[in-house]
Amino acid sequence: MATKAEIVSKDTIKPFSPTPNHLRDFKISLLDQLAPSSNYVPVVLFYTASDVSVLGNDIKMISDKLKSSLSNVLTLYYPFCGILKDNSTVECNDEGVLYIESKVPKELSNILKNPQAHEINELFPFDLYNPEVDHKKPIRNMAVQLNEFSCGGIGLGVCFSHKIADASTMSSFLNAWSAKARGDSNIVAPQMEAALLFPPMNIEIDITRGVAGHKNIVTKRFIFNGKNISKLRDKLGCLKPTRVEAVTALIWKSAIEAAKASSGEKTRHACMVSHAVNICSRMDSSLLRQMLGNLWVLAVSPLVEVEEVVGLDDLAEIVRKTVKKVDADYVKMLQGDELPMVLEAFEESRKMVTEKGIPCYSFSSWTRFDLYNVDFGWGKPTWVCTIGLPIQNVVIFLATKNGDGIEAWITLTEHDMVEFERNPQLLEFASFDF
């Protein structure tokens, strides 16, 4: 039975300094426009009671420290305090960030030992995929929930509108916020010029339209430790895949086989794979690493006809070729006259899923983002997690605490998951819970 978090207070945190009038209309970039319109980027950072004992386990002192430093850092990240006015502009009206405190009648150790998806969902300020149910006002660009467990440990649930933040921006913000809390005065302000590099257009595109909100789906976490990832990479031999390429190929292969088994299909099976590709390394600009907004592009493979026996090395090669399509020339297409061709390809891929029923296995890796160094003055988090998207065949990668492993948050249909989690090759390299 779920143990619900009890809300004890709600507050609104505004930026310490008002946003100047000339910054009130913040233009989002083309890449922000292409980001999912109704999604949030969510993360929970867990700190044990022994971690926060440096503040005497005083939840009021902890909360006051978080609120004060949040107000200060929001002066630099002022679009988080506004509302999305249309598909190209954030009205930076200093409306503020929702801040909730809750008590969870459960020990943190129970969450860490046996995490349950529905219990982690309770640690966020609202239903992330139905926010309008909880708020009659315009949807918030950012919200926070400080959860106090019965043992004195805490879980800090934070979410950001995907229209103005990706996982990289989320990581940068959390590290800036925690640095402020530690008293660091040398916080680098984010760059706000993404719209100059990728000017917004008069478009209405939602890459999740028609694919979100599926019923009978389930999310489970699968853990690939460093040793098993090394074994998997060795198995792929001469291809010499990266850690992410290797784990992507194995999950994709196992998901294809699960879909075949659950449907009883014995014939050829067509599908696609996609990966969210960070474009910072594909552009000649160091400023991109401090840029606010979405700096990723969805790389989608051609239609893949899979024979009855699926080759792991073949899938790994497809993953690599798909990701490598997003190079410097591809990024220039997003900035030039060839943009309509790119957008048309996105729309065609979406229609293949929604109208033709072709499955697309979508991956996003957060493994390089610095989430385990978010120290508010009481130490680094014991565990960092997210939650699954309400979309089937979506996988999010996070790093394990020691940095050499991968936690894969995998969302499939209930029928496919039954077959997936007993795949012998997958279980050779992964453990799972939920």
Side-chain angles (χ1 to χ4, degrees):
M1 184 174 178
T3 304
K4 284 190 171 292
E6 176 191 354
I7 305 301
V8 296
S9 70
K10 289 187 178 182
D11 202 352
T12 298
I13 308 301
K14 297 180 182 291
F16 182 78
S17 301
T19 302
N21 287 333
H22 71 281
L23 298 178
R24 288 284 170 141
D25 283 339
F26 174 74
K27 288 296 181 182
I28 65 175
S29 75
L30 171 69
L31 301 184
D32 295 323
Q33 290 181 303
L34 296 177
S37 59
S38 58
N39 285 3
Y40 280 82
V41 181
V43 67
V44 187
L45 303 102
F46 294 94
Y47 302 86
T48 66
S50 60
D51 293 330
V52 298
S53 62
V54 67
L55 296 181
N57 297 97
D58 185 334
I59 194 65
K60 183 179 185 306
M61 187 179 296
I62 291 169
S63 187
D64 287 347
K65 188 181 186 73
L66 288 173
K67 289 193 284 188
S68 174
S69 53
L70 178 58
S71 177
N72 274 278
V73 80
L74 284 173
T75 302
L76 303 177
Y77 286 82
Y78 54 89
F80 290 171
C81 299
I83 58 171
L84 191 67
K85 188 163 61 174
D86 52 43
N87 198 37
S88 64
T89 309
V90 174
E91 182 182 351
C92 303
N93 56 7
D94 294 343
E95 183 170 304
V97 167
L98 177 65
Y99 183 96
I100 291 176
E101 294 181 38
S102 83
K103 289 186 178 293
V104 182
K106 187 171 187 174
E107 293 197 356
L108 175 56
S109 59
N110 292 331
I111 296 285
L112 300 179
K113 291 176 184 176
N114 184 31
Q116 300 293 315
H118 57 275
E119 291 184 334
I120 291 174
N121 289 348
E122 286 281 321
L123 306 180
F124 289 101
F126 45 77
D127 182 345
L128 299 180
Y129 303 110
N130 294 287
E132 69 281 356
V133 173
D134 300 76
H135 301 282
K136 305 305 179 184
K137 296 181 179 180
I139 297 172
R140 304 270 187 162
N141 282 343
M142 179 185 169
V144 178
Q145 183 164 314
L146 173 61
N147 303 279
E148 181 187 15
F149 293 91
S150 59
C151 59
I154 61 173
L156 188 64
V158 190
C159 57
F160 305 82
S161 168
H162 215 328
K163 277 298 180 183
I164 59 171
D166 60 8
S168 179
T169 297
M170 173 262 291
S171 175
S172 297
F173 177 86
L174 291 175
N175 279 281
W177 179 13
S178 61
K180 277 286 187 185
R182 297 194 308 270
D184 189 343
S185 59
N186 297 316
I187 308 299
V188 178
Q191 299 294 323
M192 300 288 190
E193 292 79 23
L196 297 179
L197 294 173
F198 300 96
M201 299 179 62
N202 184 25
I203 57 173
E204 292 288 341
I205 292 181
D206 186 349
I207 60 176
T208 63
R209 180 165 52 89
V211 299
H214 283 288
K215 297 180 179 179
N216 303 318
I217 58 176
V218 62
T219 298
K220 295 198 175 188
R221 180 186 67 158
F222 293 75
I223 302 173
F224 300 81
N225 63 39
K227 182 179 179 181
N228 282 343
I229 293 176
S230 294
K231 285 169 53 182
L232 177 59
R233 294 174 70 190
D234 289 343
K235 187 181 183 72
L236 288 164
C238 61
L239 184 62
K240 295 182 180 179
T242 65
R243 296 158 65 249
V244 168
E245 286 172 346
V247 176
T248 297
L250 177 59
I251 291 173
W252 185 19
K253 178 179 186 294
S254 302
I256 290 171
E257 293 172 350
K260 284 185 175 183
S262 65
S263 67
E265 181 183 343
K266 301 300 181 183
T267 58
R268 295 173 65 173
H269 178 80
C271 63
M272 299 179 294
V273 69
S274 70
H275 236 296
V277 181
N278 190 300
I279 65 171
C280 290
S281 61
R282 279 123 172 120
M283 293 188 68
D284 186 21
S285 175
S286 60
L287 295 178
L288 286 176
R289 301 188 185 279
Q290 289 84 39
M291 194 76 73
L292 184 142
N294 290 274
L295 289 172
W296 59 276
V297 174
L298 194 65
V300 185
S301 74
L303 191 64
V304 178
E305 295 283 356
V306 182
E307 302 291 346
E308 187 170 345
V309 178
V310 184
L312 182 61
D313 51 350
D314 293 332
L315 296 183
E317 188 171 1
I318 292 171
V319 171
R320 171 169 291 183
K321 288 181 178 178
T322 298
V323 171
K324 282 188 175 296
K325 285 195 306 183
V326 180
D327 55 14
D329 290 336
Y330 186 93
V331 173
K332 288 178 181 177
M333 290 173 64
L334 294 170
Q335 300 173 295
D337 295 337
E338 295 174 283
L339 174 62
M341 294 171 53
V342 177
L343 300 182
E344 185 179 341
F346 283 160
E347 182 63 11
E348 181 60 29
S349 296
R350 189 192 65 80
K351 287 182 177 180
M352 290 182 74
V353 175
T354 59
E355 298 178 9
K356 298 182 180 180
I358 303 295
C360 181
Y361 296 92
S362 300
F363 294 79
S364 179
S365 176
W366 300 6
T367 57
R368 293 188 177 182
F369 302 134
D370 206 12
L371 297 173
Y372 275 101
N373 282 321
V374 179
D375 177 2
F376 290 93
W378 52 72
K380 298 177 181 181
T382 294
W383 185 42
V384 177
C385 74
T386 186
I387 57 173
L389 290 172
I391 305 172
Q392 71 183 63
N393 305 329
V394 170
V395 182
I396 299 174
F397 292 154
L398 279 79
T400 55
K401 186 175 183 178
N402 63 13
D404 68 353
I406 291 176
E407 292 189 5
W409 292 69
I410 303 174
T411 303
L412 300 173
T413 65
E414 292 176 350
H415 291 303
D416 286 2
M417 185 62 79
V418 170
E419 299 294 337
F420 181 85
E421 64 188 2
R422 62 190 181 198
N423 183 290
Q425 189 173 35
L426 178 74
L427 295 179
E428 182 183 348
F429 299 99
S431 59
F432 67 93
D433 44 34
F434 289 1

